């Protein structure tokens, strides 16, 4: 169990609302946030608790040559209409996050989330985590 899923279980407890864990490093997971490609799936997420894991790892998309940040668009929509709790994890530092998602998304996240900063070594590669043992990080 990684930190994101452990935190989500502790934060959400045993609520009647479903919880969606979206690994943004996995293209299939990230695609479900796209209102253009999967409007029904995204609409369902608005009624759930949502964990967006590794925001910033998702591939950048474009729409008719215009860059799109699907995770950022989702955060904006969830801020406006979401009915559950939102947990976001990222390896991006503040300036990197602002460069990628701009002030609008950062502001929305700060309004609906409480930032927690984890410091120290990489837990995936140090101390016997999966990457240290030759598995996936």
């Amino acid at each position: 169990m990684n930190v994101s899923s452990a935190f989500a279980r502790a934060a959400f407890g045993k609520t009647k609302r479903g919880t969606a864990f979206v690994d943004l490093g996995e293209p299939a997971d990230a695609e479900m946030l796209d209102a253009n490609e999967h409007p029904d799936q995204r609409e369902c997420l608005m009624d759930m608790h949502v964990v967006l894991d590794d925001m910033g790892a998702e591939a950048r998309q474009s729409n008719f040559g215009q860059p799109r940040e699907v995770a950022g668009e989702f955060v904006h929509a969830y801020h406006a209409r979401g009915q559950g709790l939102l947990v976001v994890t990222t390896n991006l530092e503040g300036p990197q996050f602002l460069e990628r998602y701009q002030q609008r998304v950062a502001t929305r996240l700060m309004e609906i989330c409480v930032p927690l900063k984890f410091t120290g070594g990489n837990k995936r590669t140090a101390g016997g985590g999966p990457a240290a043992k030759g598995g996936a990080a």
Side-chain angles (χ1 to χ4, degrees):
M1 179 185 310
N2 63 32
V3 173
S4 302
S5 58
F7 181 79
R9 289 179 190 183
F12 301 147
K14 295 183 178 180
T15 64
K16 294 180 181 177
R17 188 177 309 276
T19 302
F21 184 87
V22 182
D23 182 353
L24 293 172
E26 294 293 327
D29 276 14
E31 282 180 15
M32 89 168 92
L33 300 182
D34 191 340
N36 294 340
E37 297 294 323
H38 302 284
D40 294 337
Q41 287 179 351
R42 180 169 155 169
E43 189 60 33
C44 286
L45 291 173
M46 292 297 160
D47 293 327
M48 301 177 78
H49 299 308
V50 178
V51 178
L52 297 181
D53 186 41
D54 210 3
M55 193 166 173
E58 71 278 8
R60 293 186 178 193
Q61 298 184 10
S62 66
N63 185 29
F64 297 103
Q66 296 297 315
R68 293 181 62 217
E69 293 292 352
V70 174
E73 292 171 10
F74 177 80
V75 167
H76 182 71
Y78 201 84
H79 175 267
R81 299 184 30 243
Q83 299 296 309
L85 301 172
L86 179 65
V87 173
V88 177
T89 68
T90 185
N91 286 323
L92 299 176
E93 294 288 333
Q96 295 168 313
F97 192 90
L98 281 172
E99 182 180 329
R100 174 136 187 198
Y101 297 104
Q102 307 301 316
Q103 187 66 43
R104 181 178 182 208
V105 172
T107 300
R108 300 295 188 271
L109 276 177
M110 295 302 289
E111 290 174 358
I112 59 176
C113 294
V114 176
L116 300 173
K117 184 171 183 170
F118 292 91
T119 60
N122 184 334
K123 303 297 185 215
R124 291 178 287 201
T125 59
K133 295 176 183 173

